[in-house]
Amino acid sequence: QLIWPVAAIGWVTNLVQRASASTARLGKIMEYQPDIHDTTATDYSLDSIQGRVEFRNVSFQYKSRVTPVLSNITLTIPKGSSLGIVGATGTGKSTLVNLLPRLHEASGGEILIDGHSIKNIPLQVLRSSISIVQQEPFLFSMSIADNIRFGKPEATMEEVIAAAKLAALH
């Protein structure tokens, strides 16, 4: 008669220990202060982005590496156009893309959107205006509409339908 209750106690104890470890990890994440934030140069009058992107002699080097990942990248992407970035593994494709929403800071050069340095655009405006489509698709366990609405929870159904049409999902 005691086998199942004792087994249940062991199972519950395991769950409590796992929850405790997860809570500790979440606490560290919640306390983390990012290195990149708005500065005194941030222009809070900028409340939207039109989309012209310009990289001027942009370089980037990870602190853990001796050689730069990117060196003197210069390109202009007109508003409304698309750009495919291809190359071998480790050549800096993801790093280049991660510089745009300021997930990393360029170690040299300047990145502009609509003629404004990304360092002067409020992070909230910058990051809410950029979408990244990963190579591997991922859907949350919810409706397609809720998955589309994930980046903008207050989106109306009309906006969700418009986004679905743009993504050829409608």
Side-chain angles (χ1 to χ4, degrees), residues 76-98:
T76 301
I77 308 166
K79 172 186 167 186
S81 63
S82 298
L83 173 70
I85 304 170
V86 297
T89 301
T91 56
K93 300 177 301 292
S94 296
T95 301
L96 182 70
V97 171
N98 287 336

Side-chain angles (χ1 to χ4, degrees), residues 4-5 23 39 44 48 63 86-87 117-118 120 127 138 143 160:
W4 288 111
T23 302
T39 66
Y44 290 102
S48 66
K63 293 176 184 175
V86 297
S117 170
I118 61 170
N120 297 340
R127 292 179 179 169
F138 177 83
S143 71
V160 171

Side-chain angles (χ1 to χ4, degrees), residues 5-150:
V6 170
I9 289 171
W11 182 70
V12 169
T13 302
N14 181 28
L15 287 177
V16 169
Q17 288 177 340
R18 288 172 52 192
S20 176
S22 296
T23 302
R25 286 192 302 269
L26 281 174
K28 287 182 181 179
I29 291 170
M30 298 303 275
E31 292 171 1
Y32 177 77
Q33 293 295 317
D35 294 333
I36 299 171
H37 46 77
D38 289 338
T39 66
T40 54
T42 302
D43 183 356
Y44 290 102
S45 67
L46 296 171
D47 59 357
S48 66
I49 291 175
Q50 298 303 307
R52 183 178 190 275
V53 176
E54 189 175 353
F55 285 74
R56 291 184 184 165
N57 298 312
V58 173
S59 298
F60 181 79
Q61 181 174 342
Y62 287 102
K63 293 176 184 175
S64 61
R65 293 187 58 174
V66 177
T67 57
V69 177
L70 303 171
S71 295
N72 299 318
I73 303 295
T74 299
L75 63 98
T76 301
I77 308 166
K79 172 186 167 186
S81 63
S82 298
L83 173 70
I85 304 170
V86 297
T89 301
T91 56
K93 300 177 301 292
S94 296
T95 301
L96 182 70
V97 171
N98 287 336
L99 291 174
L100 200 54
R102 291 184 66 200
L103 299 178
H104 301 298
E105 292 283 23
S107 53
E110 186 175 26
I111 303 171
L112 299 105
I113 298 179
D114 301 331
H116 303 282
S117 170
I118 61 170
K119 293 181 179 181
N120 297 340
I121 300 172
L123 279 175
Q124 175 18 7
V125 172
L126 180 66
R127 292 179 179 169
S128 67
S129 302
I130 296 173
S131 295
I132 297 174
V133 178
Q134 299 294 334
Q135 292 177 6
E136 295 295 325
F138 177 83
L139 292 175
F140 293 104
S141 298
M142 53 178 71
S143 71
I144 297 296
D146 286 338
N147 271 274
I148 293 171
R149 201 180 270 122
F150 186 77

